[in-house]
Amino acid sequence: MTQSQPVRPTQVDAVIVGAGFSGLYALYKLRAQGFTTRVFDAATDVGGTWYWNRYPGARCDSESHYYCYSFSEEIRKEWTWSCRYPAQPEILSYLNFVADKLDLRKDIEFGTRITSGKYDEGSHTWLVETDKGETVQARFLITGVGNTSTPAKPTYPGLENFQGELYHTALWPHEGVNFSGKRVSLIGTGSSGIQCTPLIAEQAEHLTVFQRTASYSVPARNFELTDEMRRKQLETYDDWRELVLASPIGMSFPVPTKSAMEDTPEQRKAVLDKLWEVGGFRFMFTGYNDVITNPETNNVFVEYITAKIKETVKDPAKADVLCRFNHPAATKRPPLDTNYYETFNRDNVSVVDIRSDPVAGATEDGLTLTSGDHYKLDAIVFATGFDTVTGTLLKMNLTGKGGQTLADKWQDGPRAYLGLCPQGFPNLFTITGPGTPGTLTNFPGCIEQNVDWIADVLQTMRKTGATEFEATAEAESKWVQDIIEAADQTLYPTVDSWYMNSNLPGKPRVFTAYLNGMPSYTAVCAEVAADGYKGFEIRNPAMADAN
Ligand code: NA7
């Protein structure tokens, strides 16, 4: 061990995995309450998703004034956002600023991955192993690993023979990439692909976008914030914070109260025209309350966006491909863009429908489609997303009571009471895990709520001397069943998506998020706590001995 590396305890109250928004706040909160921690992250610095996703155009789709921590007035007042939707470098700077301000970095071990975690039923502790060969014993294991953190890419036959450059948006080289003079293909048209398309197009000799699924992208309408705007945001903090706390999606938007079917076609057009100009998630989520539940309302959005694409993209053949929708609007994570559709008006940009003509394989010099069409390429960019929601949790090789692995437990889909606590895995907490509202809300808000709730559990246990906290099978089953039933009232199950846990082959198809919104979830969690942690069994060491 070199002199600069501190000697860390091998027994702590909590192991925290991840140093993004979740892990940083969990570390701050637990440390402030006097708990000892070890915090690990595979990256070489803080940031989580904002550390890895450095592709050109990477930008937040939530607005800066609420896509940040709310727990510290000091941080809020000292930090200045430049624009409505900050780009990745700015959010990474913010997280660095927070880490420095709260002196968090010294307690985080970077470049270290958790390779396994085993619950010891005798001592009510987790034995967590790292890829550095160390084992740490912790009463609690708290994961802050994000929902989009294990990149996924297709395994085309022959890809290993491709002589050009290969990139994945989530593993972007820190030094950047220069596509000047290159023939580039971009595969994947979710949020990442849609954000980087216009910027790659500006550099590349030719960009071919390979589209499997047409997306309903909405203009972000990003803008620089003026001093006056920032001053007003601070002055009106209480007002818009109230909106955030009342919003199902945790954003400072008014909650819509009526169906599009209550308006005439002219009124609907006026509403959507206005929201299209405002841009962002407000378009999908503030006009009408039944986009996700009513096929007729959904179709209003589909038709509106289709017309906008056809109006924007001058070449009818390209517009036709971009409008080949096969799912209702917003049933996959809705992307926001800056000049995505406009980019297809460039002569050096084309779009290919790889749903009707899938990629058959790669050769030394490019990609070949099933039809035999061959594309000569210098670089391939995979914007093909992630093994979402469960992928990173399962990769940690966790084993709970009775030798059951998390992979076994979740073979038919993820299960965790409140989305935080899988039964059979006592003292494990999964921040923004499957069954929380995480992926359907503004993440920092959900993270703060989750961490605050978890920290209260830890404090309660410390006060009472309890050592084991475990969800009951009944409470967990009801939680999971309620989520499935809620999803069945919506259009989500009509399409394969990562919300449905079905974006990759082999994953069990089940809805993965709490649907009743952040305010309802917060209230349920508070009730559970107030009711002596109803739905949980809290055990003490004496009982452990008796077992
Ligand atoms: P997403 O939203 O999962 O999008 C991935 C895109 O890649 C999507 O268009 C997929 O099409 C496509 N894809 C995935 N696998 C393939 C294969 N094998 N062949 C062709 N096309 C494929 O990931 P993003 O990185 O864009 O965004 C992730 C989240 O990060 C985002 O929602 C924000 O929260 C930030 P599909 O729809 O599966 O047909």
Side-chain angles (χ1 to χ4, degrees):
M1 182 169 286
T2 63
Q3 280 186 334
S4 60
Q5 286 176 316
V7 178
R8 313 260 188 190
T10 52
Q11 289 188 324
V12 286
D13 294 318
V15 160
I16 297 170
V17 192
F21 266 101
S22 299
L24 291 179
Y25 183 50
L27 167 59
Y28 166 75
K29 184 90 187 182
L30 265 56
R31 205 173 64 179
Q33 294 182 346
F35 291 105
T36 55
T37 59
R38 294 277 299 264
V39 184
F40 300 100
D41 198 300
T44 58
D45 210 337
V46 299
T49 199
W50 299 107
Y51 172 92
W52 295 104
N53 286 267
R54 296 171 188 243
Y55 59 85
R59 192 175 284 283
C60 187
D61 287 339
S62 295
E63 295 167 4
S64 49
H65 62 279
Y66 57 80
Y67 190 81
C68 52
Y69 292 118
S70 71
F71 70 87
S72 162
E73 189 178 351
E74 210 179 332
I75 288 174
R76 193 168 69 242
K77 290 190 170 159
E78 283 183 20
W79 181 260
T80 307
W81 291 110
S82 71
C83 59
R84 183 183 185 186
Y85 303 104
Q88 173 269 335
E90 187 171 357
I91 304 171
L92 190 58
S93 297
Y94 170 76
L95 290 169
N96 274 278
F97 164 77
V98 172
D100 290 339
K101 172 102 194 143
L102 303 176
D103 198 16
L104 300 176
R105 215 182 295 274
K106 70 176 185 338
D107 286 334
I108 305 171
E109 290 157 78
F110 295 108
T112 309
R113 206 175 270 282
I114 302 304
T115 51
S116 74
K118 194 170 183 316
Y119 187 68
D120 179 51
E121 294 179 55
S123 61
H124 291 176
T125 57
W126 281 92
L127 299 172
V128 180
E129 284 186 18
T130 74
D131 62 358
K132 299 272 163 67
E134 196 184 359
T135 302
V136 181
Q137 186 173 28
R139 172 79 60 218
F140 304 102
L141 176 57
I142 302 174
T143 65
V145 296
N147 285 269
T148 51
S149 43
T150 296
K153 74 175 169 64
T155 49
Y156 299 140
L159 192 57
E160 66 283 3
N161 300 326
F162 180 60
Q163 296 297 303
E165 301 158 32
L166 288 175
Y167 301 102
H168 190 292
T169 45
L171 297 169
W172 206 258
H174 289 202
E175 63 280 12
V177 180
N178 187 350
F179 290 109
S180 301
K182 293 188 176 146
R183 296 159 302 177
V184 183
S185 90
L186 177 124
I187 301 169
T189 49
S191 302
S192 304
I194 281 175
Q195 286 187 335
C196 63
T197 289
L199 289 137
I200 296 177
E202 279 174 17
Q203 276 190 350
E205 180 188 305
H206 193 92
L207 171 66
T208 309
V209 175
F210 282 11
Q211 173 193 280
R212 182 166 78 178
T213 296
S215 282
Y216 301 94
S217 192
V218 172
R221 309 238 186 261
N222 191 26
F223 51 76
E224 297 291 312
L225 294 172
T226 61
D227 286 344
E228 175 59 16
M229 287 172 179
R230 280 190 281 264
R231 193 184 54 74
K232 206 165 163 218
Q233 271 176 4
L234 281 175
E235 264 177 29
T236 57
Y237 178 78
D238 291 343
D239 297 335
W240 60 256
R241 182 76 189 144
E242 212 173 294
L243 282 176
V244 167
L245 293 174
S247 156
I249 55 174
M251 302 184 186
S252 63
F253 307 160
V255 182
T257 52
K258 73 172 175 181
S259 163
M261 296 302 110
E262 293 173 52
D263 276 352
T264 63
E266 294 72 30
Q267 287 168 327
R268 292 200 287 259
K269 183 170 180 323
V271 167
L272 295 187
D273 278 349
K274 197 168 156 206
L275 289 174
W276 189 262
E277 287 315 309
V278 175
F281 287 143
R282 288 168 201 259
F283 177 79
M284 286 286 185
F285 301 121
T286 62
Y288 298 107
N289 64 5
D290 56 349
V291 183
I292 291 296
T293 50
N294 184 342
E296 286 178 281
T297 293
N298 196 282
N299 207 37
V300 169
F301 282 76
V302 172
E303 285 179 359
Y304 189 92
I305 296 175
T306 303
K308 284 292 181 192
I309 296 170
K310 292 193 167 160
E311 196 181 296
T312 307
V313 180
K314 305 300 172 209
D315 177 344
K318 288 184 189 175
D320 171 63
V321 174
L322 292 164
C323 291
R324 284 186 198 163
F325 299 118
N326 65 345
H327 64 288
T331 50
K332 292 184 182 232
R333 205 290 205 158
L336 304 183
D337 73 88
T338 301
N339 295 330
Y340 177 63
Y341 295 115
E342 289 80 352
T343 296
F344 292 92
N345 291 331
R346 298 175 66 109
D347 291 337
N348 71 331
V349 179
S350 48
V351 57
V352 174
D353 177 359
I354 57 164
R355 182 171 293 276
S356 61
D357 189 6
V359 176
T363 62
E364 281 188 4
D365 69 350
L367 290 171
T368 308
L369 305 189
T370 308
S371 62
D373 286 357
H374 184 71
Y375 291 81
K376 287 194 171 181
L377 299 166
D378 302 303
I380 300 173
V381 175
F382 289 106
T384 44
F386 301 85
D387 185 350
T388 43
V389 185
T390 56
T392 310
L393 290 168
L394 292 175
K395 259 190 3 192
M396 284 194 294
N397 297 313
L398 301 183
T399 306
K401 283 166 72 178
Q404 187 187 33
T405 64
L406 196 61
D408 279 345
K409 180 179 168 71
W410 285 4
Q411 60 183 330
D412 296 326
R415 304 172 64 80
Y417 184 36
L418 305 179
L420 296 172
C421 301
Q423 181 270 333
F425 292 73
N427 300 352
L428 167 67
F429 298 92
T430 54
I431 303 169
T432 72
T436 66
T439 51
L440 297 177
T441 66
N442 176 44
F443 271 116
C446 186
I447 287 165
E448 285 185 326
Q449 184 277 344
N450 284 184
V451 170
D452 289 346
W453 190 89
I454 294 164
D456 284 350
V457 173
L458 268 57
Q459 274 199 320
T460 304
M461 291 180 69
R462 182 167 57 187
K463 264 190 230 144
T464 58
T467 50
E468 188 170 74
F469 185 80
E470 184 184 6
T472 65
E474 297 71 31
E476 180 185 80
S477 287
K478 181 158 178 2
W479 190 258
V480 172
Q481 197 50 38
D482 286 353
I483 286 176
I484 291 168
E485 281 170 20
D488 284 345
Q489 306 301 310
T490 71
L491 300 171
Y492 286 118
T494 63
V495 61
D496 282 330
S497 69
W498 56 262
Y499 290 150
M500 282 301 297
N501 204 40
S502 57
N503 62 323
L504 293 178
K507 293 184 79 170
R509 194 176 193 280
V510 59
F511 198 71
T512 53
Y514 178 85
L515 257 165
N516 294 338
M518 204 54 215
S520 159
Y521 178 80
T522 305
V524 172
C525 289
E527 277 166 33
V528 165
D531 216 347
Y533 292 101
K534 195 174 172 200
F536 288 94
E537 285 183 21
I538 305 178
R539 306 184 190 104
N540 61 32
M543 287 172 74
D545 292 336
N547 286 339

